[in-house]
Amino acid sequence: MIDQMYRKAVLTVAGQKAIENAVRARGWGMAQRFVAGETPQTAIQAVHDLKKDGIMANLDLLGEFIESPAQCTQFADNVITMLDAAHAAGITPYVSVKLSSVGQGKTVDGEDLGLTNARRIIRRAKEYGGFVCLDMEDHPRVDQTLAQFRTLVGEFGGQHVGTVLQSYLYRTEKDRGGLDDLSPNLRIVKGAYLEPETVAYPQKADVDAAYRRLVYAHMSAGNYVNVATHDESIIHDVQMYALAHGISKDAFEFQMLYGIRRDLQRNLAAAGYRVRAYIPYGRDWYPYFSRRIAETPRNAMFVLRGMLKG
Ligand code: FDA
């Protein structure tokens, strides 16, 4: 409950234009803890650095609420530029994309622009043997995202495209079961948006319990699971579940955000688990940064200390 109140308060304050302007003016130094620079080159450097610790990477070009169809297509072009840059640097690209940023919900030439642009991105990633994960956004987008995911798996194959399910939504366990025929590569998260009680569990204990059920069900169905959480107790339980059920360490991976619980990321990799860090980069870092602050007061303290230092 307190978690929910804290998150709501931070996201409400962060949404104020004056706060955004102040943080944008002074906050980049602090955002660098969570964002790997503004260009593909800085993000690629972060990939190389993580590799030294045995940690894989998921590149994410930041950009939300991009408005015009032309901007969406430009954004998709920028993602493709990043795929090219990663390939040229000897990296098999693994990227995440928010369908809203490439035009989901906008019809151009009789087709959803998000789907058109996602196709272009996945086609290029596939050429390089890479992978594209369709991030999950707020609840009104879930139906369309899952439908587009199904279409894209049909066109490109499940080895090149995955998506995300959020345990805070009541509907998610049913959604997961409904995707089993695709043997999908799914990332399971708790969920980062401010959702009403009509669609999402308000209590953290329920979100956590649903999280475990989702991961176990997806593993037991023989699917690859991306266990995306920093929650040590869940990580421990997933390790125990895998051991108890003879699920190999290659059948799942732990995913965490860049700059968060770096100790845990390194320890898991050293213990032979597959670990991937989600590396955001780009100029539009403010909304992403606000959500990280909203996740835990510890991050707010980190930023406040930085600001006080000037
Ligand atoms: P929870 O918030 O319960 O935290 C568990 C513990 O982890 C905390 O006690 C704290 O110690 C630590 N912790 C958590 N967040 C921290 C932070 N920011 N800084 C420091 N410590 C922290 N969401 C979504 O809606 N759609 C999506 O597509 C994605 N994609 C995604 C990819 C990846 C790789 C990750 C890791 C997460 C996402 N998310 C997401 C975000 C996700 O929904 C969720 O908001 C965060 O992961 C935080 O929840 P935890 O599972 O870490 O647990």
Side-chain angles (χ1 to χ4, degrees):
M1 198 64 194
I2 290 184
D3 292 331
Q4 190 72 355
M5 282 165 58
Y6 170 74
R7 176 189 287 192
K8 193 167 183 176
V10 173
L11 291 178
T12 305
V13 171
Q16 312 282 320
K17 205 66 201 164
I19 297 287
E20 176 173 343
N21 290 340
V23 176
R24 276 189 187 280
R26 304 191 62 199
W28 171 240
M30 275 124 358
Q32 276 180 314
R33 164 74 185 266
F34 306 106
V35 179
E38 297 198 341
T39 65
Q41 284 65 35
T42 53
I44 285 168
Q45 186 53 51
V47 177
H48 287 309
D49 292 344
L50 285 165
K51 200 171 170 194
K52 291 180 198 145
D53 288 324
I55 296 170
M56 301 176 291
N58 171 355
L59 289 164
D60 174 53
L61 175 58
L62 295 170
E64 298 181 51
F65 311 112
I66 293 168
E67 294 303 332
S68 73
Q71 284 174 319
C72 294
T73 296
Q74 179 61 56
F75 187 83
D77 289 346
N78 294 344
V79 175
I80 290 169
T81 300
M82 188 240 292
L83 293 171
D84 293 342
H87 177 69
I91 294 165
T92 302
Y94 186 121
V95 302
S96 282
V97 174
K98 285 187 173 46
L99 286 171
S100 66
S101 55
V102 295
Q104 187 186 60
K106 297 174 172 54
T107 304
V108 174
D109 297 333
E111 179 93 274
D112 184 79
L113 183 62
L115 186 58
T116 306
N117 279 326
R119 279 193 180 106
R120 295 171 52 224
I121 293 169
I122 297 166
R123 192 171 299 122
R124 185 64 63 89
K126 186 174 175 172
E127 262 175 57
Y128 298 146
F131 187 84
V132 178
C133 181
L134 309 174
D135 277 350
M136 193 56 80
E137 302 177 66
D138 50 350
H139 79 273
R141 291 189 180 273
V142 175
D143 278 332
Q144 197 175 14
T145 299
L146 294 182
Q148 293 181 339
F149 170 63
R150 182 170 279 284
T151 302
L152 293 164
V153 170
E155 294 176 9
F156 296 97
Q159 320 87 287
H160 298 288
V161 55
T163 191
V164 180
L165 292 180
Q166 299 153 320
S167 73
Y168 64 9
L169 296 182
Y170 304 133
R171 59 177 286 172
T172 297
E173 288 178 70
K174 198 162 166 233
D175 286 339
R176 195 214 63 76
L179 292 170
D180 263 344
D181 62 302
L182 300 177
S183 303
N185 177 315
L186 292 181
R187 179 197 302 157
I188 309 293
V189 301
K190 293 187 185 178
Y193 295 81
L194 209 49
E195 297 289 14
E197 284 188 28
T198 46
V199 300
Y201 296 109
Q203 302 290 341
K204 179 172 162 46
D206 293 323
V207 178
D208 291 355
Y211 190 99
R212 288 180 170 83
R213 287 196 301 272
L214 281 162
V215 171
Y216 300 162
H218 207 56
M219 278 183 165
S220 295
N223 299 312
Y224 193 85
V225 193
N226 303 296
V227 183
T229 182
H230 313 93
D231 189 324
E232 278 197 84
S233 127
I234 289 183
I235 290 170
H236 173 264
D237 290 352
V238 168
Q239 290 172 309
M240 293 302 113
Y241 185 89
L243 262 181
H245 294 81
I247 294 164
S248 98
K249 285 179 177 170
D250 293 343
F252 63 98
E253 66 187 51
F254 292 111
Q255 296 190 343
M256 290 181 226
L257 304 178
Y258 180 74
I260 295 176
R261 294 305 314 266
R262 291 176 288 196
D263 55 335
L264 185 55
Q265 296 183 24
R266 283 195 284 260
N267 291 343
L268 285 166
Y273 288 97
R274 291 167 64 87
V275 180
R276 191 179 303 275
Y278 183 102
I279 305 181
Y281 77 93
R283 300 192 61 209
D284 191 12
W285 49 267
Y286 182 77
Y288 176 86
F289 182 56
S290 309
R291 284 204 294 279
R292 299 295 74 82
I293 302 304
E295 269 154 13
T296 162
R298 243 196 291 157
N299 287 346
M301 291 310 296
F302 167 76
V303 169
L304 272 177
R305 273 199 305 272
M307 286 189 137
L308 289 174
K309 277 188 210 150

